[in-house]
Amino acid sequence: MDSSQIETNAPLSIEIAEISSPSITLSPTSTLSPPISKDVIRKSLKASTIDGIFAAIFSIGTGGVLLGNFLVELDASPVVFGMVSSIPMLVNLFQPMGAYLSERSTSRFQYSLRTHGIGRLLWLILVIGIVSFGAGALNSQQLVVLSLVILVCSHLLGGLGTASWFSWIAMLVPRRLRGRYFGLRNSLANLTELIALPIVGLVVSHWYGGTIQGYGVVLLLGIIFGIVSLGCQYFQVDINPQLQNTYYLNLSQTSEIESNLASNEPGKVSEAISLPQIPATQNQIDSSIWKNSNFLVFLLYFGSWTFAVNLSAPFFNLYLLDTLNLDVSWVTFYNSLRAGAHMLMLIVWGRLADKIGNRPILISTGILIAVIPWLWLKMGSSPLDLWLWLPLLHIFIGANWGGVDLCNNNLQIEIAPVKNQSIYFAIAAAIAGASGALGATIGGLIAQFAGSFGIAEVFIVSGILRLASLVPLIVKKDLGS
């Protein structure tokens, strides 16, 4: 193996235990091991890429247009659609707890199995519920409630593990390749969605037992692929979070000693050397967060952006399926076009982000994303809309959302310090989750109780708030630098 060290967002001399021997994950008292080799990094990133492909298939079956169509067939109300969109975001409030628990674990891989693994297996209960519905043991409303309960529990467990996974992969991706790698990984996931979504849409639409039974079959296949995706993580380099934090505490103290030596102030040198090498307390973590102006500005932007986006986003598919009364195969076709544009542009955005930075891309694509709700107001069910304007709109959405998704993730990694990194990620997700859930809930209530004019109002206000949320990015010119 080539043992040359490659550049990452932090030094790679953290102690690690390879997934091929997960039972020997090192303890916090072990000495520092040699750097992770290039070959091991390549193997880990390939495994993570395949993980993303299989996870995309799982996501198709457990969310998006297929879950929306399933609820439409069960006569679910707009409030339910608002809840379906808000639940995955609202449970992000538990991400700080998940980050805290993950930092006390000794293996990112084992922690991922306990959270994401159980969360994905819970969807088997909905498969059983669909079978019971077909047999007459459950009515439509009971099945809607069961779907919401499983959605809550599954996303809650996923939320507990997301920050840990994000910190894990952030440690493995070389800094200079971050934009290109995530662009490639996400584009392959979108290619999978581009191919799979129309196929499963046709399966659901033309299933001989009806669309509800067809969704149950697709859901079962999605669960299987979701478990396979977790198996791919077995081939990634495992990182012990406690070693990561201990190493960077020692590293920061060493840097302080070197700085004081350079300043020729003996008193400070003596004081620095006497510092005890112990993990930071929760109060110290909180203090560093409040002093990180870049991170606080990012939280302001991220929270306001997710609120504005989710005020209207949950109701686009509902508009197509219910208001325009389109067949689910049409809607999956449009979503596939969006995934294709997303896939193609991710590679472009990734390379561009490595050259000019994430902030300029977020501002430019954010402005374009802001006008999308207003464009939806012009969509109808005429042949011109069905064959031209709706496809073009979805291509426009996918192309620009690629830049937003990629650069939001990259900017988080750039701003958050490596020590206790998952806690920073969890706080950002919690803020965004709460604000996004609030936006989706408010949008759902307005859409239900104000009729079609209420949906138009939601779309108009959402566009204005999306533009307003970009102000922190525009003002803070050195964000992420």
Side-chain angles (χ1 to χ4, degrees), residues 81-360:
F81 278 86
M83 292 176 64
V84 167
S85 296
S86 63
I87 286 171
M89 294 176 289
L90 192 59
V91 297
N92 284 331
L93 290 171
F94 293 90
Q95 279 210 34
M97 179 189 298
Y100 173 76
L101 294 174
S102 73
E103 296 305 313
R104 296 176 66 88
S105 69
T106 57
S107 168
R108 295 288 188 198
F109 173 67
Q110 295 292 340
Y111 187 80
S112 179
L113 286 183
R114 290 194 296 269
T115 52
H116 291 103
I118 298 174
R120 292 180 181 184
L121 287 174
L122 284 177
W123 286 95
L124 288 171
I125 300 175
L126 183 57
V127 175
I128 298 172
I130 292 173
V131 173
S132 301
F133 175 78
L138 292 177
N139 60 40
S140 61
Q141 291 305 308
Q142 290 171 331
L143 194 55
V144 168
V145 172
L146 179 63
S147 302
L148 292 177
V149 171
I150 293 172
L151 195 70
V152 170
C153 296
S154 175
H155 282 279
L156 174 59
L157 287 165
L160 291 175
T162 298
S164 177
W165 177 88
F166 199 16
S167 180
W168 183 11
I169 198 66
M171 290 301 300
L172 299 178
V173 181
R175 177 188 292 272
R176 67 179 183 274
L177 301 177
R178 188 177 295 152
R180 276 173 283 179
Y181 172 72
F182 283 115
L184 175 63
R185 185 184 190 275
N186 294 344
S187 66
L188 289 176
N190 278 272
L191 175 61
T192 303
E193 183 178 352
L194 174 66
I195 297 172
L197 192 54
I199 296 174
V200 297
L202 288 172
V203 170
V204 171
S205 180
H206 297 88
W207 189 259
Y208 70 91
T211 56
I212 293 178
Q213 188 181 107
Y215 174 71
V217 173
V218 170
L219 177 60
L220 179 59
L221 292 174
I223 296 169
I224 295 173
F225 281 109
I227 299 303
V228 171
S229 81
L230 291 178
C232 294
Q233 296 180 8
Y234 181 86
F235 300 97
Q236 294 176 203
V237 175
D238 196 8
I239 291 179
N240 185 330
Q242 296 186 36
L243 290 175
Q244 176 181 338
N245 295 333
T246 302
Y247 175 79
Y248 280 98
L249 177 63
N250 296 339
L251 182 66
S252 63
Q253 290 173 350
T254 302
S255 299
E256 182 179 351
I257 292 171
E258 292 175 348
S259 175
N260 289 331
L261 284 170
S263 67
N264 293 320
E265 298 183 35
K268 289 187 178 180
V269 173
S270 174
E271 181 182 359
I273 294 176
S274 65
L275 286 173
Q277 296 184 352
I278 58 175
T281 64
Q282 189 63 45
N283 288 335
Q284 289 172 318
I285 295 170
D286 294 340
S287 175
S288 63
I289 289 174
W290 286 112
K291 292 178 181 178
N292 191 329
S293 61
N294 278 348
F295 184 69
L296 295 178
V297 171
F298 177 80
L299 288 183
L300 177 62
Y301 149 72
F302 203 34
S304 57
W305 172 259
T306 52
F307 175 85
V309 166
N310 287 283
L311 193 67
S312 59
F315 310 105
F316 295 153
N317 282 333
L318 176 62
Y319 177 78
L320 295 174
L321 292 166
D322 192 25
T323 305
L324 299 185
N325 199 28
L326 297 184
D327 186 80
V328 65
S329 59
W330 272 100
V331 183
T332 54
F333 168 69
Y334 293 145
N335 280 267
S336 296
L337 292 177
R338 183 176 64 187
H342 196 278
M343 172 198 67
L344 293 175
M345 287 301 297
L346 271 173
I347 299 176
V348 177
W349 293 129
R351 293 182 179 275
L352 194 59
D354 289 336
K355 291 182 179 179
I356 68 173
N358 299 293
R359 176 180 162 273

Side-chain angles (χ1 to χ4, degrees), residues 348-367 400 402-404 406-407 473:
V348 177
W349 293 129
R351 293 182 179 275
L352 194 59
D354 289 336
K355 291 182 179 179
I356 68 173
N358 299 293
R359 176 180 162 273
I361 296 176
L362 285 174
I363 293 174
S364 58
T365 56
I367 293 173
N400 289 287
V404 173
L406 180 68
C407 293
L473 290 180

